[in-house]
Amino acid sequence: SYPNGVEAIKGVDLKIFEGDFIALVGPNGSGKSTLAKILCGLLSQRAGQVEIEGKPMGKFHRRDLAKLVSYVFQNPDHQHFNQTVKEEVAFAPKILGISEGEVKERTDESISEMELNGLENEHPLFLSKGERRRLAIASILSLEPKMLIVDEPTTGQDYRTNSKIMALLRNLNKKGFTILLITHALPIVSSCVSRLLVMYMGRIIKDGAPREVLDDDEVVKKARLIVPTAKRIAESLSGYGVPRNALTADELLQYLTLGSSTPS
Ligand code: ADP
């Protein structure tokens, strides 16, 4: 609950596993940001308990918490305040007291992971929107948190920029980072993530693989989820034997050309 009495989260019971790649979706005001901020300690809950690796969150020192779960803000311009890309990425580990050599190593690695090489000495405000988004992620990645919460990674950019960010996030997930995305861009993320959490009026109303969640018409309607176009076409062609749970254009094409196999 917020001090003004708004009850943003109601009875959420949730487990996040190491290696999860999750998209948290739902209409505006359904509680996504509030939940995410509770998960990384930016807000504390009025009731209930949050545990990380079996330990109540309140028992962690702030500094240790940042190394476990870190939040990448929606508007990258709220995050940048250093003069160069390099300094921006080095900032968080530096203030956490990590040794100079280690900070340098992490900075180089995070810059390269987010494909910002060559821009190290640029001023963050001279970067393109997509590059600023990647810089925001790099400057949290340098903390090497086990879990990254990324708020709307794909807003306001073109398709190519969004696909690139999703590919980079997928890479991080493959390397072992647990990732939670807060997003409206379901058509962009549904083929990448392994788990979809749907929030509605402060509750999680569905939790499962994207294919399974998007096949639940009631949930899709209630949470006003934007279903990928390929799935909508597949549904309208189900009378011709096309499985209605195709999610991507590639899958749809496969059925149309080969007329076989069920998506897993
Ligand atoms: P979402 O991220 O899904 O859009 P939020 O977590 O931002 O949802 O908001 C959930 C509810 O909490 C909404 O009713 C919103 O108006 C309210 N809320 C969010 N932030 C605050 C705040 N700082 N003070 C009071 N109410 C808030």
Side-chain angles (χ1 to χ4, degrees):
S1 302
Y2 284 102
N4 63 358
V6 173
E7 217 178 68
I9 305 283
K10 297 169 188 132
V12 163
D13 189 4
L14 170 70
K15 273 190 179 150
I16 293 174
F17 301 96
E18 205 166 346
D20 268 353
F21 191 5
I22 303 175
L24 178 59
V25 296
N28 276 338
S30 55
K32 304 182 296 293
S33 300
T34 308
L35 177 61
K37 285 175 185 161
I38 287 173
L39 293 179
C40 62
L42 285 173
L43 288 175
S44 51
Q45 75 281 8
R46 279 269 165 93
Q49 178 120 309
V50 185
E51 289 181 355
I52 302 181
E53 294 176 340
K55 188 168 147 185
M57 198 139 163
K59 299 217 164 140
F60 285 92
H61 192 285
R62 245 201 128 60
R63 206 172 35 200
D64 298 329
L65 205 53
K67 291 179 204 158
L68 285 170
V69 188
S70 269
Y71 192 94
V72 182
F73 282 88
Q74 181 171 3
N75 186 342
D77 300 336
H78 289 168
Q79 211 169 307
H80 306 313
F81 46 88
N82 284 284
Q83 299 300 311
T84 65
V85 165
K86 205 164 52 185
E87 286 168 36
E88 179 74 21
V89 179
F91 185 77
K94 220 184 216 168
I95 57 166
L96 288 190
I98 288 160
S99 74
E100 207 175 305
E102 171 88 18
V103 169
K104 189 180 175 322
E105 210 169 282
R106 287 183 183 202
T107 303
D108 292 348
E109 223 168 84
S110 305
I111 283 176
S112 138
E113 205 66 70
M114 285 295 116
E115 298 189 0
L116 291 165
N117 301 87
L119 298 169
E120 290 86 343
N121 295 315
E122 286 292 332
H123 193 291
L125 294 179
F126 289 142
L127 303 182
S128 71
K129 254 191 188 165
E131 287 163 350
R132 287 213 292 275
R133 211 71 198 94
R134 273 145 50 207
L135 173 58
I137 298 171
S139 57
I140 292 298
L141 194 57
S142 55
L143 282 171
E144 296 188 349
K146 284 197 169 172
M147 175 164 150
L148 284 142
I149 297 180
V150 193
D151 199 347
E152 288 290 9
T154 58
T155 307
Q157 295 134 185
D158 58 40
Y159 175 78
R160 253 186 56 205
T161 312
N162 285 337
S163 307
K164 176 159 187 167
I165 288 183
M166 284 313 297
L168 293 173
L169 288 171
R170 191 151 48 171
N171 253 348
L172 289 183
N173 177 247
K174 277 193 190 139
K175 289 189 173 162
F177 288 92
T178 305
I179 298 180
L180 179 111
L181 310 175
I182 305 172
T183 185
H184 282 107
L186 198 44
I188 302 171
V189 306
S190 57
S191 57
C192 299
V193 298
S194 52
R195 190 172 167 196
L196 261 187
L197 289 176
V198 185
M199 281 197 90
Y200 181 72
M201 293 181 78
R203 294 178 200 281
I204 291 176
I205 58 166
K206 190 88 180 178
D207 176 358
R211 206 180 293 287
E212 174 202 331
V213 173
L214 290 171
D215 226 21
D216 188 330
D217 293 336
E218 207 178 304
V219 165
V220 167
K221 204 166 154 203
K222 200 169 182 181
R224 298 192 293 277
L225 301 183
I226 305 164
V227 172
T229 308
K231 171 152 176 63
R232 279 193 281 134
I233 296 173
E235 282 171 4
S236 61
L237 293 177
S238 61
Y240 297 94
V242 175
R244 48 171 276 142
N245 61 355
L247 269 191
T248 62
D250 278 351
E251 282 179 6
L252 187 58
L253 261 181
Q254 192 186 329
Y255 305 133
L256 294 177
T257 48
L258 302 174
S260 64
S261 73
T262 320
S264 51

